[in-house]
């Protein structure tokens, strides 16, 4: 199965700053089949990005995804207070689908 | 707006069977794959398996064939049974709708709120 490694484990930033989150796969992810989710305490994950760069319905354009092959990035251009949360990547190009271990974006 | 809601016992004894139901509202259970995913502090997010309206299922080999997923279209529900549970199966269990391209597996666009299942005697 494909192992996804997210870095950094924790990102300490201030509102208004740019956040750059990394997701690296142990082998190439087919056809950019990579998704990103946001999760807040006590809530289910919320889909942000699919197909590596397509925003899900209702997701603000400050969220963007990029990458291919084994290296993917989620960027939040200017952090809003509600963006401080956990973020997970997920590959769905091969079975079993797998998730990364997450990056926590916390207020500095 | 599609909504999913998990229900079932919050406590299961070791070696017994964990049973959960997911009720789908706001849309038909047809067409899409319906999934179970769990989250534990030790293993993070882990996909368990899916079912289509056709009855076609697939599950994670890591669960060593302990998984049964079934569908009741008349009630717009699908269910999970995980047998021979141990403490390692303690987790928050989510149901989720799958989406994907014709030649891919799924990402998940709608999730239930999750239900904590603890395995303990």
């Amino acid at each position: 199965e494909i192992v996804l490694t997210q870095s950094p484990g924790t990102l300490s930033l201030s509102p208004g700053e740019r956040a750059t989150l990394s997701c690296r796969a142990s082998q190439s992810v087919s056809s950019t089949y990579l998704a990103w989710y946001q999760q807040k305490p006590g809530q289910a994950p919320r889909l942000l990005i699919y197909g590596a760069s397509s925003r899900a319905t209702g997701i603000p354009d400050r969220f963007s995804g990029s990458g291919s092959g084994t290296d993917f990035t989620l960027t939040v251009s200017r952090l809003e207070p509600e963006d401080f949360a956990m973020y997970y990547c997920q590959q769905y190009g091969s079975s079993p689908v797998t998730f990364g271990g997450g990056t926590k974006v916390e207020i500095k | 707006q599609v909504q999913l809601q998990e229900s079932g016992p919050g406590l299961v004894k070791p070696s017994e069977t964990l049973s959960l139901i997911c009720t789908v509202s706001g849309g038909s259970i047809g067409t899409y794959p319906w999934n179970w995913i769990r989250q534990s502090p030790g293993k993070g997010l882990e996909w368990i398996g899916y079912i289509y309206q056709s009855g076609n299922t697939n599950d994670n080999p890591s669960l060593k064939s302990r998984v049964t997923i079934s569908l009741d279209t008349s009630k717009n529900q699908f269910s999970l049974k995980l047998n021979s549970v141990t403490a390692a199966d303690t987790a928050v269990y989510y149901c989720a709708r799958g989406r994907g391209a014709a030649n891919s597996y799924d990402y998940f666009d709608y999730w239930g709120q999750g239900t904590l299942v603890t395995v303990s005697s």
Side-chain angles (χ1 to χ4, degrees):
Chain A
E1 71 179 45
I2 295 178
V3 176
L4 299 178
T5 302
Q6 292 188 241
S7 62
T10 302
L11 201 49
S12 298
L13 295 167
S14 301
E17 290 195 295
R18 182 184 189 89
T20 303
L21 288 67
S22 173
C23 176
R24 179 161 291 176
S26 61
Q27 54 189 282
S28 184
V29 176
S30 303
S31 303
T32 65
Y33 289 144
L34 189 110
W36 290 92
Y37 300 85
Q38 177 193 69
Q39 187 178 33
K40 297 179 180 178
Q43 296 183 16
R46 171 195 180 199
L47 177 67
L48 299 175
I49 301 285
Y50 63 94
S53 60
S54 297
R55 273 188 300 278
T57 303
I59 301 304
D61 61 7
R62 64 180 181 273
F63 291 92
S64 63
S66 63
S68 64
T70 60
D71 289 297
F72 298 86
T73 301
L74 175 71
T75 301
V76 188
S77 58
R78 290 178 312 279
L79 284 164
E80 297 288 340
E82 62 268 27
D83 300 334
F84 291 91
M86 286 290 296
Y87 292 83
Y88 297 94
C89 58
Q90 178 228 336
Q91 68 79 23
Y92 54 100
S94 64
S95 185
V97 301
T98 50
F99 294 85
T103 290
K104 181 180 182 180
V105 178
E106 66 175 21
I107 299 176
K108 187 173 182 180
Chain B
Q1 175 81 346
V2 174
Q3 293 185 314
L4 296 86
Q5 177 68 58
E6 305 90 350
S7 58
L11 181 64
V12 182
K13 290 183 167 55
S15 80
E16 295 190 345
T17 296
L18 178 160
S19 296
L20 295 173
I21 291 172
C22 181
T23 302
V24 180
S25 59
S28 170
I29 207 163
T31 307
Y32 298 101
W34 298 95
N35 292 259
W36 289 98
I37 297 158
R38 67 183 184 180
Q39 185 173 31
S40 62
K43 294 199 73 175
L45 286 160
E46 181 179 31
W47 171 75
I48 298 170
Y50 67 64
I51 188 167
Y52 276 90
Q53 188 183 24
S54 64
N56 180 37
T57 61
N58 188 24
D59 57 79
N60 196 323
S62 69
L63 293 166
K64 298 181 170 58
S65 302
R66 297 190 291 131
V67 173
T68 301
I69 299 175
S70 57
L71 193 63
D72 186 338
T73 55
S74 67
K75 295 181 179 178
N76 245 31
Q77 293 178 335
F78 63 106
S79 65
L80 169 70
K81 292 188 187 299
L82 180 66
N83 61 37
S84 305
V85 296
T86 69
D89 295 309
T90 294
V92 175
Y93 285 75
Y94 295 99
C95 55
R97 190 177 81 170
R99 297 294 301 274
N103 58 347
S104 77
Y105 296 90
D106 300 311
Y107 59 90
F108 309 106
D109 60 350
Y110 288 100
W111 296 63
Q113 65 185 28
T115 188
L116 174 62
V117 179
T118 302
V119 179
S120 175
S121 55

